[in-house]
Amino acid sequence: MADMIVKHIHQLLKANSRKHADELKRLGQQVEADPLSRRILSLDQGPQLQALGTMLEDQHSETEDFIFHFNRIATILVERALSEYAHFVTAEVETPQGNSYTGLSPSGQISAVVILRGGSALETGLKRVIPDCRTGRLLIQSSFRTGEPELHYQLLPSDIRSHDLVLLLDTQMSSGGAALMAVRVLIDHGVDEDHIVFVTYFAGKIGLNRLCKVFPRVHVVVGRIVDDNEDRWVERRYFGC
């Protein structure tokens, strides 16, 4: 019985992969000349981010130093996503001195979905900002035969459709294929397009434009816009392999 259930799940995942691949072929257009969407927020490259970026780009940086500084950038990315797109309501609390303080509290559930494996490098930063954040997982890999992204695994909160904000995490994006499929999976599970924020450190312009062309109401927070053919080196250095 268990084998039949596992086989059925694999068949569903393969069917979803074919469905998403067909949609990417139909909708994923080359948009090099298009200006960046207003929904794309690129972090201002001030002295702090430039200093952190220098440490990451230095080939002589020790692994421990690389992880420490990337975690700082991940924290900044998540904080910026929340400050721009999370919704808050007025909340009143009592201070230790017995006084009343009027502040803000999130208006709804905030969750995150990690695109494996790169997105896992952003989880330390995520937990520093939202320690009890509920997280899901998506494993999307390119087919060796066709080069198209395929959905191999998914684990999402059962009530994700009701969440006020869903952060979609990946360290880098080039063509945008994995991000497109991940957003499609979330929408298929009832998540409103407006409630999705794609958070990434590196992204190419073509991938960003393709994502916003297909899903124009998705928000994006990106640390730095780089060449479209940038190698996915960040996760290799972070995980050491």
Side-chain angles (χ1 to χ4, degrees):
M1 182 65 179
D3 289 341
M4 292 179 61
I5 294 174
V6 171
K7 184 177 181 181
H8 179 63
I9 291 174
H10 280 306
Q11 289 174 343
L12 288 177
L13 290 176
K14 288 181 180 179
N16 281 340
S17 293
R18 288 193 294 269
K19 175 183 175 183
H20 297 321
D22 291 341
E23 186 165 352
L24 292 182
K25 288 180 179 180
R26 181 174 63 85
L27 296 174
Q29 304 173 21
Q30 294 295 326
V31 285
E32 298 96 324
D34 289 358
L36 288 175
S37 166
R38 293 182 179 179
R39 297 234 168 186
I40 297 173
L41 191 159
S42 179
L43 297 186
D44 180 29
Q45 298 300 307
Q48 179 184 202
L49 277 183
Q50 288 187 41
L52 292 173
T54 301
M55 175 62 71
L56 299 185
E57 295 280 357
D58 186 351
Q59 64 174 325
H60 301 297
S61 295
E62 297 291 338
T63 300
E64 294 78 6
D65 293 331
F66 182 93
I67 293 173
F68 176 82
H69 288 86
F70 185 81
N71 288 340
R72 286 185 61 192
I73 288 181
T75 302
I76 293 170
L77 286 167
V78 174
E79 286 179 338
R80 188 60 186 276
L82 295 185
S83 67
E84 292 290 334
Y85 304 117
H87 301 110
F88 296 88
V89 294
T90 302
E92 188 170 307
V93 297
E94 183 179 349
T95 71
Q97 294 75 32
N99 300 319
S100 177
Y101 175 81
T102 301
L104 297 174
S105 180
S107 63
Q109 179 83 44
I110 298 174
S111 61
V113 174
V114 175
I115 300 178
L116 299 170
R117 76 173 176 161
S120 298
L122 294 166
E123 283 194 274
T124 297
L126 171 71
K127 295 298 184 179
R128 287 177 178 175
V129 182
I130 317 174
D132 59 348
C133 184
R134 296 174 63 190
T135 58
R137 297 279 190 274
L138 292 175
L139 177 59
I140 299 171
Q141 296 180 329
S142 297
S143 167
F144 289 106
R145 184 173 57 84
T146 66
E148 297 290 346
E150 294 180 342
L151 179 64
H152 290 271
Y153 176 80
Q154 64 181 33
L155 178 63
L156 302 174
S158 59
D159 60 345
I160 194 169
R161 67 172 61 240
S162 65
H163 294 184
D164 193 57
L165 193 69
V166 179
L167 305 178
L168 185 60
L169 309 179
D170 199 2
T171 50
Q172 294 179 243
M173 179 177 71
S174 52
S175 67
L180 282 164
M181 178 172 284
V183 171
R184 182 73 262 171
V185 170
L186 294 181
I187 292 174
D188 286 348
H189 281 77
V191 180
D192 190 282
E193 194 174 317
D194 271 321
H195 295 178
I196 301 171
V197 182
F198 180 67
V199 180
T200 186
Y201 177 47
F202 277 168
K205 183 181 177 182
I206 292 178
L208 289 171
N209 278 343
R210 182 180 288 131
L211 177 63
C212 292
K213 184 82 171 181
V214 178
F215 302 110
R217 293 189 292 120
V218 165
H219 303 282
V220 178
V221 175
V222 56
R224 184 149 59 96
I225 297 175
V226 296
D227 184 81
D228 293 292
N229 298 314
E230 183 87 10
D231 181 46
R232 291 187 65 96
W233 58 272
V234 174
E235 61 196 67
R236 289 202 301 271
R237 287 214 61 187
Y238 190 93
F239 295 113
C241 58

